[in-house]
Amino acid sequence: MIKLLNAGFTRLRKNKIFWLLSIFSIGFALVLINGQYGNMKTYGETVEIGTLIGSYPMLIGIVIAIFISLFLGAEYSDGAIRNKISIGHKRKNIYLSNLIISSIVSLFFYAIFLLTTIAIGIPLFGVGTIPISVILNKIIVLVLVIIAYSSIFTFVAMICSNKTVIAITTILLAFGMIFFVTYCYNILTTPEYIQVATLVDGETQYKEEYNPKYPSPEKRKVYETLLDIIPAGQTVQIQERNSNLEILLGYSLGIIVVFTSSGLMLFKKKELK
């Protein structure tokens, strides 16, 4: 395992996509801070550091998908997987080493965003009103959410053998989660009552009516559960002040266990061409 990790990190230092995504993570933090600073100066808005730190994880799913698909996809295209097995490395160790490297790199992308945001954001905006303990709890949950993302995309990368298929599948999956979560969130924020315009004696009058698109309690529960389970949905909820971090923590751990155990089982039986 140690040799596999050393080889992976050595290859990482020469990987262009790793450095490009690292620069992107810092750049995103700078753009975000600049935009918020402009709003504060122009409109007098209060900027919360506790909210800013949760702004990247929604997008980081795409960043992780790009990195894992290209970095691990090359393992098959270069014949590295077959070579590792031929010299005696166990499939379990190969899978876990790739998962560990992917998770550490994914956390690194978020860490440099976080450090940039804190280093520049606190002098500009202050600590904010969100308690430090709440911010730290959110960061802990975000760490597990990012590892959950890595577990899902590593599963795809290690089960598929074609680099192109891996890239298309993981990136589409990352975007698909964002679009689906946005759809669920829009349904949950649908107002229960809407203003309906009617014409009475030539005058337009408005009355409040029940919104037929308002989700029933059963549907609401389903959509809320989906937001709790899907990593992209978890990142949306973490940004909210009253999010239930314990539930999100449990679902993230569940995703990591399910995808890692399933990946190990399937990769063990996979035929390598």
Side-chain angles (χ1 to χ4, degrees), residues 72 76 81 85 90-99 148 150-161 254-272:
L72 296 188
Y76 281 109
I81 293 287
I85 293 175
K90 295 181 179 179
R91 293 196 179 206
K92 177 185 71 173
N93 292 340
I94 295 172
Y95 188 100
L96 291 177
S97 64
N98 283 336
L99 174 60
S150 301
S151 301
I152 294 172
F153 297 140
T154 298
F155 172 86
V156 175
M158 295 301 291
I159 298 307
C160 298
S161 302
I255 289 173
I256 295 168
V257 171
V258 169
F259 277 91
T260 301
S261 57
S262 300
L264 285 169
M265 180 180 65
L266 293 175
F267 183 65
K268 185 178 180 180
K269 299 178 180 179
K270 181 178 175 60
E271 292 185 9
L272 301 176

Side-chain angles (χ1 to χ4, degrees), residues 82-143:
R82 190 162 47 188
N83 290 339
K84 289 176 182 179
I85 293 175
S86 64
I87 62 176
H89 289 294
K90 295 181 179 179
R91 293 196 179 206
K92 177 185 71 173
N93 292 340
I94 295 172
Y95 188 100
L96 291 177
S97 64
N98 283 336
L99 174 60
I100 291 171
I101 292 170
S102 299
S103 299
I104 290 175
V105 171
S106 300
L107 290 173
F108 175 77
F109 291 147
Y110 179 63
I112 56 178
F113 162 83
L114 184 63
L115 292 174
T116 304
T117 303
I118 291 174
I120 301 176
I122 290 181
L124 288 177
F125 311 125
V127 177
T129 60
I130 301 177
I132 298 298
S133 60
V134 174
I135 295 176
L136 290 175
N137 288 335
K138 288 188 176 185
I139 291 175
I140 292 172
V141 177
L142 282 171
V143 166

Side-chain angles (χ1 to χ4, degrees), residues 15-247:
N15 188 270
K16 292 181 180 179
I17 193 65
F18 166 73
W19 294 110
L20 287 174
L21 292 175
S22 297
I23 294 171
F24 172 82
S25 299
I26 296 173
F28 182 80
L30 296 175
V31 170
L32 182 66
I33 291 170
N34 181 65
Q36 293 298 317
Y37 183 75
N39 290 337
M40 183 182 72
K41 287 296 184 181
T42 305
Y43 306 108
E45 295 182 358
T46 300
V47 180
E48 293 281 357
I49 288 294
T51 302
L52 288 182
I53 64 173
S55 300
Y56 189 32
M58 183 73 171
L59 180 64
I60 203 173
I62 299 172
V63 174
I64 296 172
I66 293 172
F67 170 75
I68 290 180
S69 64
L70 297 179
F71 186 76
L72 296 188
E75 292 270 284
Y76 281 109
S77 61
D78 297 343
I81 293 287
R82 190 162 47 188
N83 290 339
K84 289 176 182 179
I85 293 175
S86 64
I87 62 176
H89 289 294
K90 295 181 179 179
R91 293 196 179 206
K92 177 185 71 173
N93 292 340
I94 295 172
Y95 188 100
L96 291 177
S97 64
N98 283 336
L99 174 60
I100 291 171
I101 292 170
S102 299
S103 299
I104 290 175
V105 171
S106 300
L107 290 173
F108 175 77
F109 291 147
Y110 179 63
I112 56 178
F113 162 83
L114 184 63
L115 292 174
T116 304
T117 303
I118 291 174
I120 301 176
I122 290 181
L124 288 177
F125 311 125
V127 177
T129 60
I130 301 177
I132 298 298
S133 60
V134 174
I135 295 176
L136 290 175
N137 288 335
K138 288 188 176 185
I139 291 175
I140 292 172
V141 177
L142 282 171
V143 166
L144 284 176
V145 172
I146 291 170
I147 296 175
Y149 265 126
S150 301
S151 301
I152 294 172
F153 297 140
T154 298
F155 172 86
V156 175
M158 295 301 291
I159 298 307
C160 298
S161 302
N162 185 284
K163 185 177 180 179
T164 303
V165 173
I166 293 171
I168 293 173
T169 303
T170 53
I171 294 172
L172 285 179
L173 184 58
F175 276 105
M177 283 193 281
I178 292 176
F179 290 140
F180 183 72
V181 163
T182 303
Y183 169 76
C184 292
Y185 193 77
N186 288 338
I187 290 178
L188 290 174
T189 54
T190 300
E192 187 173 2
Y193 294 93
I194 55 176
Q195 296 289 330
V196 178
T198 57
L199 194 63
V200 180
D201 297 330
E203 295 183 359
T204 302
Q205 297 183 359
Y206 294 90
K207 63 177 180 178
E208 197 174 65
E209 291 186 359
Y210 180 80
N211 187 356
K213 295 182 179 180
Y214 185 76
S216 64
E218 293 78 15
K219 286 185 178 180
R220 176 171 290 274
K221 183 64 177 176
V222 171
Y223 288 121
E224 287 175 347
T225 302
L226 289 172
L227 284 180
D228 288 340
I229 295 174
I230 301 172
Q234 295 174 3
T235 61
V236 171
Q237 295 184 77
I238 288 172
Q239 296 183 55
E240 299 175 357
R241 283 179 177 259
N242 299 320
S243 56
N244 194 330
L245 298 179
E246 290 78 10
I247 290 179

